[in-house]
């Protein structure tokens, strides 16, 4: 089975798992578990926007950094640039934050809220070099787009985050 076929088969299962009547953190935890188990990556998790930093959210894999400042590391850069970043070799990414020395390549996909602001990032790490490519970018962007926007706008904290961010970036 090609990677593309694997994602094609996986996305409907993921859709079935995303139950918007459940708590956001529970669903994000199950999304990580499903992705991690299916693809066998080294670390799969969400960092959530909290003011001017990202905080560790639901994940699978080894313990990780609690906080990542705006614009720092791959996660903070994907947030700042509001775009997916594919890193084929973490040692060549300036400012890469090494939560775990075994991580060799990674992909970070931003999650957007209803207002079009980044409210979280999906961070996936591999122990192999060049594990991620355009196929992963395409399907992982689809995967995060399945997350209900209500998860993020429903949190009163989200609006507050945006106001804090506006202050930081102006
Ligand atoms: N790789 C990330 C840090 C988080 S961990 O790898 C889980 C980064 O540089 O943004």
């Amino acid at each position: 089975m090609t990677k593309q076929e694997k994602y094609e088969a996986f996305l409907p299962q993921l859709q079935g798992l995303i139950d918007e009547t459940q708590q956001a953190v529970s669903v994000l935890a199950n999304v990580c578990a499903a992705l991690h188990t299916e693809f066998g990556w080294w670390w799969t998790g969400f960092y959530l926007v909290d003011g001017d930093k990202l905080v560790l959210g639901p994940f699978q894999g080894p313990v990780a950094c609690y906080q990542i400042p705006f614009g720092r590391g791959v996660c903070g850069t994907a947030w700042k640039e509001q775009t997916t970043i594919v890193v084929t070799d973490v040692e060549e990414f300036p400012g890469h934050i090494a939560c775990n020395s075994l991580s060799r390549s990674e992909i970070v996909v931003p999650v957007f809220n209803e207002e079009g602001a980044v409210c979280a990032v999906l961070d996936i790490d591999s122990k192999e070099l060049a594990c991620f490519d355009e196929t992963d970018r395409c399907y992982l962007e689809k995967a995060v787009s399945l997350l209900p926007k209500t998860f993020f706008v429903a949190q009163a904290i989200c609006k507050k985050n945006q106001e804090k961010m506006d202050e930081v970036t102006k």
Side-chain angles (χ1 to χ4, degrees):
M1 205 190 244
T2 64
K3 184 154 70 174
Q4 184 170 354
E5 287 166 345
K6 209 166 166 185
Y7 276 116
E8 288 286 352
F10 176 75
L11 282 185
Q13 295 172 31
L14 189 70
Q15 175 86 76
L17 187 67
I18 295 174
D19 176 354
E20 49 190 293
T21 66
Q22 301 298 325
Q23 294 272 339
V25 72
S26 312
V27 175
L28 294 180
N30 263 344
V31 167
C32 290
L35 282 165
H36 195 75
T37 309
E38 182 70 20
F39 292 90
W41 294 309
W42 173 238
W43 196 92
T44 310
F46 288 96
Y47 276 91
L48 310 172
V49 169
D50 179 20
D52 58 354
K53 62 185 181 301
L54 292 166
V55 297
L56 185 61
F59 72 95
Q60 296 269 313
V63 296
C65 320
Y66 279 115
Q67 299 187 356
I68 299 176
F70 180 71
R72 293 282 303 283
V74 186
C75 292
T77 306
W79 173 20
K80 185 176 177 186
E81 295 180 359
Q82 304 183 45
T83 189
T84 298
I85 300 184
V86 177
V87 180
T88 54
D89 179 352
V90 294
E91 285 179 16
E92 286 177 9
F93 188 93
H96 169 253
I97 299 166
C99 289
N100 188 290
S101 60
L102 293 177
S103 173
R104 304 295 301 281
S105 64
E106 70 176 270
I107 183 167
V108 178
V109 183
V111 182
F112 296 94
N113 67 15
E114 208 160 39
E115 290 157 355
V118 177
C119 51
V121 299
L122 171 64
D123 177 10
I124 304 174
D125 295 7
S126 170
K127 285 201 280 186
E128 282 148 39
L129 282 172
C131 179
F132 306 101
D133 58 21
E134 287 306 307
T135 302
D136 298 284
R137 177 201 293 266
C138 168
Y139 285 100
L140 291 170
E141 285 179 355
K142 281 188 195 174
V144 302
S145 76
L146 298 176
L147 293 169
K149 300 283 183 213
T150 49
F151 275 5
F152 303 101
V153 287
Q155 293 168 355
I157 198 169
C158 229
K159 182 96 180 103
K160 214 167 101 216
N161 285 343
Q162 194 53 49
E163 285 163 7
K164 279 200 226 166
M165 271 309 299
D166 291 344
E167 276 172 39
V168 170
T169 52
K170 81 180 165 198

